[in-house]
Amino acid sequence: MKLLFRIALIAIVSMTMTGLFASANGEKTEATGAQKLSVGIILPTKDEPRWLQDEVRFRDALEKAGYSVEILFSQGDSARERANVEALIAKGVKVLIMTPHDGAAAAAAADEANRAGVKVISYDRLITNTESVDFYVTFDSFAVGKAFGEYLVKQAKGTGNNLYLYAGAASDNNAFIFFDGAWSALQPKIADGTFVIQNSSEAIALMNKAKLSRAELGKIIGQVTTNWDFNVAKNLAEANLTVANKDAKGEVFIAAPNDGTARAIADAFAADGDVTKYYITGQDAEKASVQYIIDGKQSMTVLKDVRILVADAIKAAVMYLEGKTPTATGSYANGAKEVPAIQTEVITVTQDNVKSVIVDSGYYSASDFTGL
Ligand code: BGC
């Protein structure tokens, strides 16, 4: 995955009309003054707070802009996702903003949209192996993974520190980029003995290799995948702890791929009497994880300011509707083409800056948390 980016400063679309918006799974809320925007939005699942964040931020932005659009969820099912795409095409949308459940499986749906003359914007996750993706709005996912690695490296003292690696779903292109980023920071410290990997023979076999190929990343991910599922994450962590001896416990360092899985994995490690202290990463700044950070149960998260991604996606969609082409700041190879892309920076959040970055910034309100 070649990244052709320089830091992009993103302007948040400022739209001033008031009104309303609508949607989700058929239910519509109408308010006065809303303009129907010929855009459809498809998000991967309601079962993870991350995508509910996006839904809320889309609704906020669209309401402010006075637009009404439809937001559908695929519930982790590519067939349902395809049906959502078809439903939106049938309703006459001209632009589709979509986060695929499975990047490769979504190619057929993107092709169908393309054949119907619909512009396809990949949102956060890349739709792969098709030329039918017109634009990609994303966070700097390599930086997300790198932040995991750098955080753990910073906490580790001496040598022989126990390291547990976990990854996202292999069907999600981002899972590879996150792991690649984490590996960039962790690998030198694995190679020099600072860390000892405790739960992946594939990662141990590759420990002296600074840059892994996609196939090599795939081997490790295959062994430590959570599939982005809290239960899978919990069961995998418990299975790892069951086979780990006492020396592999004590103080441990855990690279967890996102907040939902981090909480599940953290709970499993916390429940093991032989684990005396754990450091664990995450991303998304889900409210439950922000609370875990305040409570000292999760060590860090990476804030991906969804408002910026939403604003970029809407801005790109509006440009397509006006017959223009959105401005890219780089591109991502999706296996079939270089997809023009715009990328947003991310922020590491720990107990030290949680109040300023999450609350004082206005991202969430203080009343959502206790013990701040
Ligand atoms: C997103 C993460 C999210 C994960 C699981 C990734 O593609 O970038 O923010 O936590 O999917 O849904």
Side-chain angles (χ1 to χ4, degrees):
M1 190 71 14
K2 182 107 179 119
L3 224 66
L4 306 169
F5 278 100
R6 262 180 251 143
I7 296 181
L9 204 74
I10 282 91
I12 299 184
V13 204
S14 86
M15 299 189 243
T16 46
M17 293 151 72
T18 41
L20 100 105
F21 57 107
S23 154
N25 288 343
E27 326 129 26
K28 288 210 175 178
T29 353
E30 288 281 324
T32 38
Q35 232 180 285
K36 182 125 180 58
L37 190 64
S38 309
V39 174
I41 298 170
I42 301 179
L43 296 172
T45 179
K46 272 184 184 260
D47 295 339
E48 295 172 31
R50 158 67 216 265
W51 305 110
L52 298 176
Q53 266 197 59
D54 296 77
E55 183 193 19
V56 168
R57 301 302 191 182
F58 264 117
R59 289 187 187 288
D60 286 351
L62 290 163
E63 184 176 21
K64 276 199 194 95
Y67 288 129
S68 144
V69 303
E70 192 122 10
I71 304 176
L72 301 175
F73 284 87
S74 308
Q75 294 309 104
D77 175 355
S78 295
R80 183 151 172 192
E81 182 177 83
R82 177 92 184 246
N84 284 341
V85 170
E86 286 167 356
L88 291 170
I89 295 172
K91 286 188 173 182
V93 302
K94 298 282 176 278
V95 181
L96 198 58
I97 298 172
M98 172 162 152
T99 305
H101 160 61
D102 174 318
D111 290 345
E112 198 171 334
N114 179 264
R115 280 194 299 273
V118 173
K119 293 285 185 196
V120 177
I121 300 173
S122 230
Y123 178 84
D124 192 290
R125 293 183 185 166
L126 191 56
I127 302 169
T128 56
N129 299 322
T130 171
E131 291 188 13
S132 303
V133 194
D134 295 287
F135 201 67
Y136 182 32
V137 290
T138 181
F139 291 104
D140 184 345
S141 294
F142 188 88
V144 172
K146 196 166 168 217
F148 300 162
E150 283 174 345
Y151 175 81
L152 295 176
V153 166
K154 218 166 124 194
Q155 309 310 315
K157 312 236 162 8
T159 55
N161 295 284
N162 295 316
L163 178 66
Y164 291 79
L165 300 170
Y166 296 95
S171 58
D172 178 4
N173 188 54
N174 286 346
F176 288 77
I177 308 178
F178 299 141
F179 203 91
D180 195 19
W183 190 255
S184 73
L186 290 171
Q187 185 275 334
K189 295 293 175 186
I190 296 166
D192 77 4
T194 303
F195 290 116
V196 179
I197 301 165
Q198 294 296 356
N199 70 330
S200 170
S201 56
E202 297 287 0
I204 292 170
L206 292 161
M207 65 180 260
N208 290 313
K209 203 160 174 207
K211 186 74 187 162
L212 302 179
S213 67
R214 187 157 176 112
E216 288 165 340
L217 288 167
K219 280 188 186 173
I220 303 175
I221 293 171
Q223 212 170 36
V224 299
T225 183
T226 60
N227 217 16
W228 292 134
D229 181 311
F230 315 153
N231 289 317
V232 174
K234 176 177 183 278
N235 291 338
L236 179 61
E238 285 173 355
N240 292 159
L241 285 163
T242 301
V243 298
N245 60 32
K246 246 184 148 168
D247 293 344
K249 298 183 184 176
E251 185 174 83
V252 303
F253 297 77
I254 310 164
N258 75 348
D259 282 351
T261 58
R263 295 193 302 278
I265 295 166
D267 291 348
F269 276 80
D272 189 304
D274 293 327
V275 173
T276 52
K277 184 170 174 61
Y278 66 85
Y279 296 92
I280 189 164
T281 63
Q283 67 165 308
D284 296 334
E286 289 180 1
K287 282 183 188 166
S289 279
V290 171
Q291 188 62 56
Y292 259 46
I293 289 174
I294 295 166
D295 296 343
K297 288 154 71 176
Q298 183 176 325
S299 317
M300 66 87 87
T301 186
V302 180
L303 169 65
K304 309 202 302 192
D305 189 332
V306 167
R307 294 170 302 184
I308 301 176
L309 212 60
V310 159
D312 282 342
I314 295 174
K315 191 176 165 190
V318 168
M319 290 202 70
Y320 280 129
L321 292 176
E322 290 172 350
K324 299 176 193 148
T325 305
T327 315
T329 53
S331 68
Y332 273 76
N334 82 337
K337 72 186 271 197
E338 282 289 329
V339 183
I342 184 160
Q343 177 167 285
T344 295
E345 300 309 306
V346 299
I347 302 171
T348 296
V349 182
T350 63
Q351 223 174 37
D352 293 340
N353 66 354
V354 65
K355 189 170 173 297
S356 65
V357 174
I358 298 290
V359 175
D360 300 346
S361 68
Y363 196 71
Y364 294 140
S365 59
S367 59
D368 290 331
F369 308 105
T370 55
L372 253 183

